Amino acid sequence: MSSPDPLAERLARVVGPAHVLLDSDLRASYETDWTRRYHGNSRFVVRPADTAEVAEVMRLCAEAGAPVVPQGGNTGLVGGGVPRGGEVVVSLQRLTSLEPVDSTAGEVTVGAGVTLAQLQEHVLAAGFGFGVDIASRDSATIGGMIATNAGGIRVLRHGPMRAQLVGIEAVRAGGTVIRRLPGLTKDNTGYDLPGLLAGSEGTLALVTRARLRLIPLLAARATALLAFDSVAGALAVLARVRAIPSLEAVEIFFREGVELVARHAGLPLPFAKAYPTYLLVECTARNDPMPDLAAALDGAKFLDSALTSGRQQRDALWAYRERHTESINAEGIPHKLDVALPLARLEEFAGNVRGRLAASVPEARPILFGHVADGNLHVNVLGLEPDDDRATDVILRYVAELGGSISAEHGVGIAKTRWLHLTRSPEDIATMRALKQALDPAGILNPGVIFG
Ligand code: 2HG
Ligand code: ZN
């Protein structure tokens, strides 16, 4: 029998023995990421129930000099939420408080462990919606989404998680609690700590609660799936729909992805034949936005189209986009390169990236899709060993060459640390390091993430 872990014993007195997971079977699901590409053993997993327990856990971990990996729903795609080896995993999934919706302010305060779907359901009952939506809504937690500044399909209208944050509560490395939850829309009193913690990937503090801005519930939808023979054609339609006031999503995907989704999900192809490029456009409003969408598309050039205001048909069209991730995962362990391009260079990138990759890594199988209105493409690469970085290198260098970003909405995690310098200057990295040093001088919060 292994000797007892003194830190685990101390933490068990804080959270209860049932919430310190020492057994390898119980730890397993916390130690591997969703893609199976990233995994490592934890020292143990601790599951505090509220902010006070998180603070005490962090105080004791800091005292013991124990590195910590914070984890929400474990839906991250850059390896930032799973242990690299020997860290304590602090799961925030039990922080599930849902306070009543403040209808006057159009805001709500929720715990970090609330899933996006739970938040959506909670605010819907009060007649509100939430500005961010992502396909992993049933598992992704609000705390994790803040920590990664998650984006998703509505960013063009409402912005990413950072734009929804009115206030935050977080626990620093030594157990200090930072709390800014009064829900003041205007509050220019010093540094914007909520904005700083959004996208900090668990390296500066652990998010425990958040005060979130809500949006009006817009139940009427109009959705169009359009087919093109080129990215240029799709971008021409993006230019036409961009000014529709009710525009909420413009997503792009390609033949390679549609055929894969159809095969994996057992769906027919969306049109009688497969086309090189697809655009999914959605508008939402109080009243049917179809006339506006149809007017913007009148005279536009596309090869095929399906338009609907119906809920079921809408879900059927979205399946071709939203089921990309799971279909790719079913084929193998992907390398996930979430990148952003200036829209003026997106056509060039999408047109050349497959050729560039084929020239230097012929066995790589790229599948592209993404949030085209944000210039955000998800380049997924199959066919490589998990530790084979050649495709990553080719693609991220090309993105940098075109003036893009190596991480659009998934973060740097541990996946992209080696390429951080491509799109951040030495001065910029030094400033980020200074912030990290100030907030976590002992370096126990998610070590290795962002900076390597
Ligand atoms: C999406 O847009 C997510 O569906 C996941 O950001 C992207 O699987 C991916 O690469
Ligand atoms: Zn995405």
Side-chain angles (χ1 to χ4, degrees), residues 23-219:
D23 191 279
S24 61
D25 285 351
L26 297 176
R27 290 182 348 232
S29 67
Y30 299 84
E31 295 181 333
T32 299
D33 84 323
W34 196 83
T35 67
R36 298 153 293 163
R37 185 172 172 209
Y38 300 101
H39 43 81
N41 291 332
S42 63
R43 179 164 169 180
F44 53 82
V45 178
V46 57
R47 296 167 35 93
D50 56 28
T51 306
E53 287 189 9
V54 175
E56 192 55 10
V57 164
M58 286 313 300
R59 193 182 69 75
L60 292 169
C61 285
E63 203 176 88
V68 157
V69 174
Q71 190 182 92
N74 196 9
T75 58
L77 297 171
V78 286
V82 287
R84 271 68 72 185
E87 301 92 341
V88 174
V89 171
V90 179
S91 167
L92 295 142
Q93 274 178 316
R94 291 178 68 218
L95 276 69
T96 52
S97 63
L98 278 166
E99 293 183 22
V101 170
D102 178 343
S103 300
T104 316
E107 295 171 1
V108 70
T109 303
V110 303
V114 167
T115 66
L116 174 59
Q118 286 164 345
L119 171 74
Q120 287 171 333
E121 197 183 323
H122 179 61
V123 304
L124 176 74
F128 286 93
F130 185 60
V132 170
D133 194 22
I134 56 178
S136 53
R137 57 186 76 79
D138 290 320
S139 314
T141 59
I142 297 304
M145 290 175 67
I146 293 169
T148 53
N149 190 25
I153 58 186
R154 296 178 179 164
V155 169
L156 71 96
R157 190 171 191 180
H158 303 294
M161 278 306 275
R162 185 180 288 122
Q164 324 306 318
L165 263 187
V166 190
I168 208 161
E169 180 190 79
V171 175
R172 286 181 47 193
T176 305
V177 180
I178 317 165
R179 192 173 286 122
R180 282 198 192 174
L181 292 170
L184 299 172
T185 310
K186 294 191 167 175
D187 187 4
N188 277 355
T189 325
Y191 301 140
D192 177 14
L193 295 182
L196 175 66
L197 295 186
S200 64
E201 302 188 47
T203 63
L204 300 180
L206 277 66
V207 177
T208 48
R209 273 198 297 169
R211 178 90 177 164
L212 301 168
R213 172 173 298 118
L214 302 177
I215 60 171
L217 186 62
L218 303 173

Side-chain angles (χ1 to χ4, degrees), residues 362-438:
E363 64 273 46
R365 179 179 158 208
I367 297 154
L368 273 62
F369 59 102
H371 317 286
V372 68
D374 312 323
N376 178 190
L377 289 179
H378 297 308
V379 184
N380 278 240
V381 183
L382 286 166
L384 301 177
E385 291 300 320
D387 59 355
D388 182 342
D389 277 340
R390 288 173 301 154
T392 303
D393 199 57
V394 171
I395 293 166
L396 297 187
R397 283 183 192 282
Y398 189 30
V399 166
E401 195 183 308
L402 297 179
S405 167
I406 64 157
S407 170
E409 59 170 7
H410 293 173
V412 175
I414 57 162
K416 293 178 178 167
T417 55
R418 270 181 51 206
W419 294 272
L420 185 64
H421 67 280
L422 289 179
T423 57
R424 290 282 180 252
S425 68
E427 296 78 12
D428 202 326
I429 294 173
T431 306
M432 293 198 289
R433 278 189 185 278
L435 285 167
K436 167 74 176 167
Q437 176 67 25

Side-chain angles (χ1 to χ4, degrees), residues 171-417:
V171 175
R172 286 181 47 193
T176 305
V177 180
I178 317 165
R179 192 173 286 122
R180 282 198 192 174
L181 292 170
L184 299 172
T185 310
K186 294 191 167 175
D187 187 4
N188 277 355
T189 325
Y191 301 140
D192 177 14
L193 295 182
L196 175 66
L197 295 186
S200 64
E201 302 188 47
T203 63
L204 300 180
L206 277 66
V207 177
T208 48
R209 273 198 297 169
R211 178 90 177 164
L212 301 168
R213 172 173 298 118
L214 302 177
I215 60 171
L217 186 62
L218 303 173
R221 286 172 194 275
T223 311
L225 181 65
L226 308 167
F228 304 86
D229 59 10
S230 69
V231 173
L235 291 174
V237 166
L238 171 59
R240 278 176 168 266
V241 298
R242 179 71 90 170
I244 306 176
S246 56
L247 186 69
E248 186 151 291
V250 187
E251 299 285 312
I252 197 165
F253 44 91
F254 300 91
R255 171 184 278 155
E256 66 221 3
V258 161
E259 288 178 343
L260 178 65
V261 169
R263 195 169 69 243
H264 168 73
L267 298 172
L269 286 174
F271 301 118
K273 59 176 276 215
Y275 293 99
T277 304
Y278 298 81
L279 209 59
L280 189 60
V281 182
E282 186 160 270
C283 296
T284 63
R286 280 231 190 270
N287 303 313
D288 186 9
M290 187 55 92
D292 286 347
L293 178 57
L297 294 178
D298 188 29
K301 288 195 177 63
F302 41 81
L303 301 175
D304 225 328
S305 65
L307 271 74
T308 182
S309 298
R311 181 83 219 180
Q312 268 186 335
Q313 295 97 309
R314 182 246 176 208
D315 290 351
L317 295 181
W318 269 96
Y320 292 105
R321 164 62 181 88
E322 290 208 319
R323 299 190 71 174
H324 265 68
T325 302
E326 66 177 76
S327 304
I328 291 165
N329 246 34
E331 289 283 289
I333 298 181
H335 288 239
K336 290 195 167 280
L337 303 168
D338 155 53
V339 300
L341 281 310
L343 273 168
R345 310 303 294 273
L346 191 129
E347 182 192 350
E348 187 181 343
F349 177 83
N352 296 337
V353 67
R354 296 176 186 82
R356 283 209 177 201
L357 199 53
S360 53
V361 195
E363 64 273 46
R365 179 179 158 208
I367 297 154
L368 273 62
F369 59 102
H371 317 286
V372 68
D374 312 323
N376 178 190
L377 289 179
H378 297 308
V379 184
N380 278 240
V381 183
L382 286 166
L384 301 177
E385 291 300 320
D387 59 355
D388 182 342
D389 277 340
R390 288 173 301 154
T392 303
D393 199 57
V394 171
I395 293 166
L396 297 187
R397 283 183 192 282
Y398 189 30
V399 166
E401 195 183 308
L402 297 179
S405 167
I406 64 157
S407 170
E409 59 170 7
H410 293 173
V412 175
I414 57 162
K416 293 178 178 167
T417 55

